[in-house]
Amino acid sequence: MENLIALLIAAPLLGAALLLTGGRRLDSVGHWIGTLLSATSFVFGVILFADLLGKDAEHRTLTQHLYTWVPVESFQADVTFRLDQLSMTFVLLITGVGSLIHLYSVGYMEHDERRRRFFGYLNLFLAAMLLLVLADNYLLLYVGWEGVGLASYLLIGFWQHKPSAATAAKKAFLVNRVGDMGLSIAIMLMFTTFGTFAFGPVLGSVGDASEGKLTAIGLMLLLAACGKSAQVPLQSWLGDAMEGPTPVSALIHAATMVTAGVYLIVRSGAIFNAAPDAQLVVTVVGAVTLLFGAIVGCAKDDIKKALAGSTMSQIGYMILAAGLGPIGYVFAIMHLVTHGFFKAGLFLGAGSVMHGMNDEVDMRKYGGLRTYMPITFVTFGLGYLAIIGFPFLSGFYSKDAIIEAAFAKGGTQGWILGGVALLGAAITAFYMTRVMLMTFFGEKRWQPDENGNEPHPHESPSVMTIPMIVLAVGSVGAGFFFHLGDRFLNWLEPVTGHEEGNSPVGAGAITAATLVLLVVGAGIAYLQYGRKPVPVTAPRGSLLARAARRDLLQDDFNHVVLVRGGEHLTRSLVYVDHTLVDGVVNGTAASFGGLSGRLRRLQNGFARSYAVSMFGGAALLVAATLLMRAV
Amino acid sequence: MSTAAVHSLWTTASDPIAKIGAPKIEYGQLSPTLIVVGAAVVGVLVEAFVPRKSRYYAQVFVAVVALCAAFAAVVALAADGYGTTKARIAAMGAIAVDGPALFLQGTILLAGLVALFTFAERRLDPAAHGNRVDSFAAQAASVPGSDSEKAAVKAGFTTTEVFPLLLFAIAGMLIFPAANDLLTLFVALEVFSLPLYLMCALARRKRLMSQEAAVKYFLLGAFASAFTLFGIALLYGYAGSVSYGTIAQVVEGTIPNVDPALADTMGNDALLLIGAALVVMGLLFKVGAIPFHMWTPDVYQGAPTPVTGFMAAATKVAAFGALLRLLYVILPGLRWDWRPVMWAVAIITMLGGAIVAITQTDIKRLLAYSSIAHAGFILAGVIATSKDGVSSVLFYLAGYSFVTIGAFAVVTLVRDAGGEATHLSKWAGLGRRSPLVAAVFAVFLLAFAGIPLTSGFAGKFAVFKAAAEGGAAPLVVIGVISSAIAAFFYIRVIVLMFFSEPRPEGPTVAVPSPLTMAAIAVGVAVTLVLGVAPQYFLDLASQAGVFVR
């Protein structure tokens, strides 16, 4: 059974290889090959899942050792996979939701002439993400981590003819590099501390390391997680990443990429548990991002960017939960899975709307679409209800659990974190209701574009709606299914550990407060966007709204602090480099070059002088050998 | 000299004729070599009896079948345990059948097969008078520029003799690393050298340069052979035998009975040291170590490129194999005498090859100096004098030979009106014009430079590791410095290909037949597989790392 693990990764990898090297002859079938191989991987995942379920909870870890890449003493670069409950959860999410997104893309990308290449990249993305969650050591995880970075770069910039897309791809890649640096430093620190980077030995011997080192490792891991999961301060790439085709957004936001950071923190739980300071920083990052994303989401008129803000905020919830330690790990992952369903559904719904609206993304030019696109409306609506935490839908269970856990942190910290999480729930209700109302309700506001083409909103083909329906079912039922009999908790606990928190506030009170805030948030949105007609051009708005539209000035901040500061730093470095380093390097190079030129003259082309050199060499050889004996 | 000192060989006639037993030959264990020799003889017959038109196909067929069959025989022997537990000395003590021999023979056969593909390429040169031609002269015996040459070209002649010559060379190379006595060693040396000298002279274009290269190679090769032979004579004088095993025993002093005919010389250490140094010198000449390297750039440049690729790869494998056996079987007792000298040779070879390569302007000469530097790196592994040293050298040779053949195969593709465009300036901007070819060549260059995830890294790492563990840490430091110098000129070619403006009158990249494509593809595949997952092959080399004695 273990041998199936490599096949999980091999299937999409094969797809990527076939599609990217196969050339035009695969154009007509490429998308189906990609979808089929992704689905194959899902089937392998289900088989392995069934196998794991058949075992005791304690024996649900499978490992497969493929080979060792150049073993050097204790530096064992093993290519080993580890499948336990945590990675299994991710595998099913990645391949399941990923396959649905593949299927959807068959319709969405139908008119794109580079569709084959697009599917190749999608498969590459899946393979890299699977490698990331299946690795048994941090080094191999890093390979997957970088692979995800590469695939996201290729996909975000897929429409490279648009300068904005090319820039967005570069931005995502560069911001991610900052996080990657954190991961590589963390891995080096681990190697110097523990002498290995395999999960088992590292996480098992946490007790031997000093807290200072563990805090350093934890903070570096957090930096890495911030990059991939778009957490403050490395959040700026996420909004721009919307330049990619919509299925890519769905894939990045729901099943892959942004979940990688949460995975990393939960997987490294043992390190964070032993480094409370690092843990506190994790919760702070989560809480700040949670509000940051929610506020940005409130102000955006671009439907995808509004959803992107929402993703940032929801991942903030997960990071917050992961920072809470054993009381939060399980809920972080549970919210990750339910979020995977409804966020994928929402993005695919948004894509479906755009598909029917000539790729218009401004919600102010939508309105009243529910009658034109009934299936999209219903599936999007269910996703909406799930994300705001409507009772008994997916988000209700997973988000409530996180809010409770935040309160259970205890003390002032608990109150602050819990309060922020509650506030976030209210804002979530506000911005999601806003999206819903502006898109599907009210008057139709679309107009012919400058070429006189009026959009004719229509329902998308069934190849696109079927994945949306499946995801809607998940959005509705997954939370309840996981909650029933604490299924998810029991499943994941052996890996992540779990402690019941002692919340100073009763669970009932928290749920009630959440529901009240939900109604308040949705109500305000209704008053603002449901009762009054939505203006086609955005009003000037308050200072906060204007700042939020500019992503709370994240880019201005980055520009002033990082870009300017960086320019000054590079200028001074360039000066040092030119005068000092280049002097040494060029000097060395010149001396070798000169030596080379002189030695070269010995090679004069005459066989006689070659023979002399051989004779001299032989004489020296003999003389030296005899001399060695003599001394 | 007293009459008693006359060697007993001369006196046997006066004795009653002793019954001479028929020598025992283990045909099965010698089958890889026998198959190749047999096929070479068949190739000669093909030249004699098959009509000119079908010779090419017949020759290619014979050669491919022979090399595949011989490789199958090697694999069968290895699978039978001859590489490990059943290792033995066959053919009355002349040939060793053991792990290193089989590993190197397998490498030589595969490298030979891939080289054969490049030999058989007939699409690169524009068709002469409607006849498809390969890289070899229409008629080797015609004087360059003469009427008879023109007539031969017009008639569409091709030198199909290269195929049997290639097979003879391979046969010699198969024996070379397996030779277990000095005479067999010398015979093998000549068997593979003579066809190489000939093949070097056979270029279709720039024939004068090709012939000059061949003459130089022949003269210097003969010179080196003379040294070797002299060394063999001295070693015989020292030990009274040419067999490796016996010499080793004399060195260790485990054979007390002195042959009365050689009483004056036997056990004289001066003979041993001088003799060993001279034999080693002959082998260092073949691997192209400094100061016996002078032939390398001229010959690599002048020889037809497929021949250069083959020579650079297979000769190195065979010669290092023989050097390993010589040093590990005969001379372990003399380790403290030869190691410092070999240190010096390795150091100047690594540094010298890398430094002189910097100012080269011709791609073939550049690769020649690169091969010299690589010889130095491999010597570092040889000096380790440990089992790891042997296996690391075996691994290095396997990886290196395919990269080399692939790289020279790429060189055959870049052409202008005068044939191959080997001047580096013409390679500027190649990456813009033919991204795939340039990318493949870049992979080979990175492998030469020893960048991770290529076979070059794994190989270099293995030899340096073995050398460091064998107490040669300073050698490793110099090796790494040389690698850094070498990386400069490899990367410079990559920069030239990808970041320079293409020249308007630059060369074109010819579309080869599947043969050359296969050779290049194998090169890339081996480079990447040995780079990404070297462990299996390292294990294989490690199993094969013990010499039979």
Side-chain angles (χ1 to χ4, degrees):
Chain A
M1 204 40 91
E2 290 83 14
N3 300 333
L4 273 186
I5 302 178
L7 292 181
L8 275 174
I9 302 172
L13 200 60
L14 172 72
L18 276 179
L19 295 179
L20 295 179
T21 60
R24 292 210 185 90
R25 73 200 84 155
L26 287 181
D27 270 353
S28 53
V29 290
H31 45 286
W32 288 117
I33 295 179
T35 311
L36 191 72
L37 283 167
S38 162
T40 311
S41 185
F42 178 63
V43 171
F44 287 140
V46 170
I47 295 172
L48 283 163
F49 181 55
D51 183 59
L52 286 197
L53 283 183
K55 298 183 180 188
D56 316 336
E58 301 303 320
H59 297 100
R60 283 178 181 164
T61 302
L62 301 179
T63 50
Q64 181 186 8
H65 176 74
L66 223 52
Y67 64 91
T68 305
W69 186 74
V70 196
V72 191
E73 310 259 310
S74 63
F75 183 97
Q76 290 284 335
D78 283 323
V79 180
T80 305
F81 302 123
R82 171 201 190 88
L83 185 76
D84 55 15
Q85 290 93 324
L86 182 60
S87 21
M88 190 72 242
T89 310
F90 273 86
V91 165
L92 289 179
L93 179 72
I94 294 165
T95 55
V97 176
S99 299
L100 289 174
I101 291 171
H102 272 75
L103 187 63
Y104 176 92
S105 309
V106 171
Y108 191 86
M109 300 297 283
E110 191 176 356
H111 304 296
D112 198 302
E113 54 191 35
R114 293 163 70 228
R115 178 163 68 164
R116 171 180 55 82
R117 185 175 290 266
F118 181 76
F119 274 82
Y121 293 157
L122 281 189
N123 271 347
L124 182 66
F125 206 145
L126 284 198
M129 191 67 199
L130 287 169
L131 181 63
L132 194 164
V133 298
L134 284 169
D136 186 44
N137 57 59
Y138 283 97
L139 201 63
L140 191 61
L141 180 147
Y142 190 72
V143 177
W145 191 270
E146 291 295 325
V148 168
L150 169 69
S152 66
Y153 170 79
L154 294 170
L155 282 170
I156 293 169
F158 186 73
W159 285 324
Q160 56 201 211
H161 52 87
K162 290 198 296 184
S164 57
T167 314
K170 258 189 240 168
K171 185 171 176 184
F173 196 73
L174 285 177
V175 173
N176 265 293
R177 293 306 303 171
V178 179
D180 297 348
M181 208 175 64
L183 184 55
S184 57
I185 294 174
I187 293 175
M188 292 176 212
L189 280 175
M190 270 176 215
F191 188 70
T192 55
T193 314
F194 304 106
T196 171
F197 15 66
F199 287 150
V202 168
L203 301 176
S205 54
V206 163
D208 306 341
S210 69
E211 191 180 320
K213 269 219 160 155
L214 290 174
T215 307
I217 295 176
L219 289 178
M220 284 298 124
L221 288 175
L222 175 66
L223 182 64
C226 284
K228 277 277 178 293
S229 293
Q231 299 295 296
V232 173
L234 298 179
Q235 80 290 6
S236 63
W237 63 273
L238 192 71
D240 294 321
M242 293 300 115
E243 288 294 338
T246 309
V248 174
S249 310
L251 194 62
I252 289 181
H253 286 237
T256 60
M257 188 114 179
V258 294
T259 61
V262 182
Y263 173 79
L264 184 69
I265 293 182
V266 173
R267 176 59 86 190
S268 316
I271 294 175
F272 285 97
N273 291 345
D277 293 339
Q279 230 170 6
L280 180 66
V281 180
V282 175
T283 54
V284 170
V285 164
V288 169
T289 312
L290 184 169
L291 286 182
F292 189 105
I295 292 170
V296 170
C298 292
K300 292 287 182 182
D301 289 332
D302 178 327
I303 185 169
K304 285 174 73 181
K305 293 205 168 163
L307 290 177
S310 149
T311 302
M312 205 190 282
S313 166
Q314 299 299 315
I315 303 283
Y317 271 107
M318 299 171 210
I319 296 281
L320 168 63
L324 294 173
I327 52 174
Y329 291 139
V330 172
F331 302 127
I333 301 298
M334 182 156 137
H335 193 53
L336 192 152
V337 175
T338 57
H339 175 257
F341 282 111
F342 52 68
K343 189 47 66 62
L346 287 171
F347 265 111
L348 296 190
S352 174
V353 169
M354 288 159 58
H355 198 66
M357 295 291 290
N358 291 356
D359 287 331
E360 178 60 61
V361 290
D362 187 351
M363 291 189 290
R364 292 185 185 276
K365 295 182 180 154
Y366 293 166
L369 288 175
R370 67 181 181 281
T371 47
Y372 296 92
M373 313 178 165
I375 302 178
T376 306
F377 168 60
V378 172
T379 54
F380 195 93
L382 289 172
Y384 154 72
L385 290 177
I387 195 174
I388 64 172
F390 194 80
F392 311 115
L393 267 57
S394 286
F396 172 73
Y397 293 103
S398 53
K399 202 190 290 176
D400 253 23
I402 293 180
I403 297 173
E404 265 177 53
F407 275 111
K409 169 104 175 153
T412 328
Q413 286 180 15
W415 281 102
I416 295 175
L417 294 175
V420 167
L422 267 180
L423 183 60
I427 307 178
T428 307
F430 173 80
Y431 68 74
M432 283 311 298
T433 310
R434 176 175 172 270
V435 168
M436 198 66 198
L437 289 173
M438 285 174 87
T439 305
F440 291 103
F441 292 89
E443 295 294 306
K444 72 166 198 145
R445 296 184 295 275
W446 60 87
Q447 290 145 356
D449 61 12
E450 57 268 26
N451 301 332
N453 296 328
E454 190 171 348
H456 298 285
H458 55 85
E459 189 53 271
S460 299
S462 54
V463 71
M464 287 166 68
T465 52
I466 289 171
M468 288 154 58
I469 294 169
V470 175
L471 289 168
V473 172
S475 315
V476 172
F480 181 68
F481 180 78
F482 292 156
H483 179 73
L484 201 66
D486 286 333
R487 272 193 192 133
F488 201 78
L489 183 63
N490 295 335
W491 160 253
L492 215 50
E493 197 196 339
V495 185
T496 59
H498 184 69
E499 283 170 21
E500 281 301 327
N502 284 320
S503 172
V505 200
I510 292 176
T511 309
T514 319
L515 289 178
V516 168
L517 284 168
L518 188 165
V519 172
V520 170
I524 296 175
Y526 177 71
L527 289 178
Q528 201 172 343
Y529 299 95
R531 292 274 298 275
K532 293 184 280 186
V534 178
V536 176
T537 47
R540 196 173 138 75
S542 67
L543 197 64
L544 180 65
R546 270 178 284 149
R549 266 182 220 142
R550 299 199 57 165
D551 300 298
L552 292 176
L553 307 177
Q554 61 180 18
D555 290 336
D556 308 75
F557 174 83
N558 286 349
H559 187 79
V560 172
V561 177
L562 300 178
V563 177
R564 294 259 174 81
E567 275 172 0
H568 285 296
L569 187 65
T570 32
R571 255 181 238 143
S572 29
L573 282 179
V574 162
Y575 178 75
V576 174
D577 190 48
H578 275 197
T579 49
L580 200 71
V581 181
D582 281 11
V584 176
V585 171
N586 291 343
T588 319
S591 58
F592 274 121
L595 188 59
S596 174
R598 247 165 282 148
L599 286 178
R600 195 181 159 191
R601 257 175 259 148
L602 293 177
Q603 189 79 23
N604 57 11
F606 292 118
R608 54 174 185 264
S609 45
Y610 296 177
V612 168
S613 113
M614 279 170 62
F615 183 78
L620 276 178
L621 207 61
V622 169
T625 318
L626 290 175
L627 192 69
M628 279 305 138
R629 175 55 65 96
V631 290
Chain B
M1 195 184 285
S2 68
T3 43
V6 177
H7 191 281
S8 58
L9 196 68
W10 301 107
T11 59
T12 40
S14 59
D15 297 339
I17 293 172
K19 203 165 184 191
I20 301 173
K24 186 162 159 290
I25 304 292
E26 295 84 347
Y27 291 100
Q29 291 159 32
L30 303 178
S31 55
T33 316
L34 294 178
I35 291 170
V36 178
V37 174
V41 173
V42 171
V44 173
L45 295 177
V46 167
E47 283 303 317
F49 296 109
V50 173
R52 196 181 277 278
K53 235 190 233 166
S54 18
R55 270 183 216 164
Y56 167 78
Y57 301 99
Q59 292 287 17
V60 173
F61 175 76
V62 169
V64 169
V65 169
L67 293 178
C68 291
F71 184 72
V74 168
V75 172
L77 284 174
D80 215 9
Y82 283 99
T84 49
T85 49
K86 286 162 80 178
R88 67 187 58 210
I89 294 166
M92 309 293 286
I95 304 278
V97 184
D98 58 6
L102 289 175
F103 189 97
L104 292 168
Q105 286 177 340
T107 308
I108 292 168
L109 285 166
L110 284 185
L113 186 64
V114 177
L116 175 71
F117 292 155
T118 61
F119 274 57
E121 174 63 56
R122 306 184 92 172
R123 294 229 186 123
L124 293 176
D125 244 305
H129 305 280
N131 297 302
R132 285 250 172 91
V133 294
D134 47 27
S135 319
F136 301 100
Q139 199 167 33
S142 57
V143 177
S146 66
D147 289 340
S148 76
E149 185 194 35
K150 282 182 196 127
V153 170
K154 198 166 182 189
F157 290 173
T158 51
T159 309
T160 44
E161 287 89 344
V162 287
F163 297 105
L165 285 174
L166 175 70
L167 288 180
F168 277 122
I170 291 177
M173 289 171 181
L174 293 182
I175 304 173
F176 204 46
N180 198 48
D181 69 45
L182 292 167
L183 282 182
T184 313
L185 180 83
F186 185 73
V187 170
L189 174 72
E190 294 304 313
V191 167
F192 82 75
S193 296
L194 289 168
L196 281 180
Y197 302 147
L198 263 179
M199 286 194 287
C200 285
L202 294 182
R204 175 166 286 267
R205 295 169 181 255
K206 299 179 189 150
R207 288 192 59 199
L208 282 175
M209 199 171 149
S210 167
Q211 294 184 349
E212 180 190 331
V215 170
K216 273 184 198 166
Y217 191 18
F218 173 67
L219 286 176
L220 296 172
F223 195 43
S225 294
F227 277 103
T228 310
L229 201 53
F230 187 38
I232 290 174
L234 293 178
L235 283 179
Y236 179 76
Y238 167 75
S241 166
V242 288
S243 154
Y244 284 12
T246 317
I247 300 175
Q249 283 172 328
V250 178
V251 172
E252 289 159 8
T254 45
I255 291 192
N257 58 326
V258 176
D259 187 336
L262 290 169
D264 292 349
T265 58
M266 244 181 104
N268 182 339
D269 273 356
L271 289 187
L272 170 66
L273 292 174
I274 299 173
L278 292 180
V279 175
V280 166
M281 182 228 131
L283 297 176
L284 290 178
F285 172 82
K286 281 291 163 198
V287 303
I290 297 179
F292 313 108
H293 69 290
M294 304 289 257
W295 60 278
T296 321
D298 293 15
V299 174
Y300 277 24
Q301 189 185 14
T305 309
V307 175
T308 311
F310 169 69
M311 189 159 65
T315 309
K316 203 152 269 185
V317 177
F320 267 111
L323 185 63
L324 278 176
R325 189 176 296 281
L326 193 75
L327 295 181
Y328 281 60
V329 176
I330 297 192
L331 304 175
L334 276 186
R335 194 177 311 157
W336 302 111
D337 296 296
W338 63 257
R339 269 186 69 157
V341 182
M342 294 297 279
W343 267 56
V345 173
I347 288 172
I348 54 169
T349 305
M350 287 190 281
L351 281 176
I355 289 175
V356 183
I358 293 175
T359 43
Q360 296 306 315
T361 51
D362 183 284
I363 188 76
K364 283 169 87 175
R365 284 183 87 83
L366 180 98
L367 291 177
Y369 280 104
S370 138
S371 92
I372 293 173
H374 280 278
F377 298 140
I378 305 176
L379 276 178
V382 173
I383 290 168
T385 48
S386 64
K387 182 163 171 285
D388 274 357
V390 178
S391 58
S392 70
V393 170
L394 297 184
F395 180 85
Y396 198 117
L397 289 169
Y400 176 77
S401 50
F402 290 96
V403 181
T404 305
I405 297 179
F408 279 106
V410 174
V411 172
T412 63
L413 302 185
V414 183
R415 311 177 77 89
D416 59 14
E420 287 159 12
T422 54
H423 200 275
L424 266 179
S425 64
K426 294 186 179 167
W427 285 55
L430 195 71
R432 308 255 178 102
R433 245 182 241 153
S434 320
L436 186 64
V437 171
V440 166
F441 198 63
V443 169
F444 291 140
L445 289 173
L446 292 178
F448 281 135
I451 305 295
L453 295 185
T454 62
S455 59
F457 172 75
K460 219 175 248 181
F461 185 81
V463 291
F464 284 166
K465 181 175 168 224
E469 284 168 359
L475 204 58
V476 175
V477 173
I478 293 175
V480 172
I481 292 173
S482 311
S483 299
I485 300 172
F488 169 77
F489 59 81
Y490 295 127
I491 307 287
R492 198 183 58 159
V493 176
I494 296 179
V495 170
L496 190 71
M497 288 195 299
F498 286 97
F499 300 105
S500 303
E501 284 301 317
R503 302 208 325 186
E505 76 289 10
T508 52
V509 171
V511 179
S513 69
L515 289 166
T516 300
M517 278 190 216
I520 296 173
V522 170
V524 173
V526 171
T527 305
L528 294 182
V529 169
L530 292 192
V532 176
Q535 201 52 47
Y536 172 76
F537 301 92
L538 281 170
D539 288 345
L540 194 68
S542 168
Q543 278 175 23
V546 181
F547 287 99
V548 67
R549 293 187 64 175

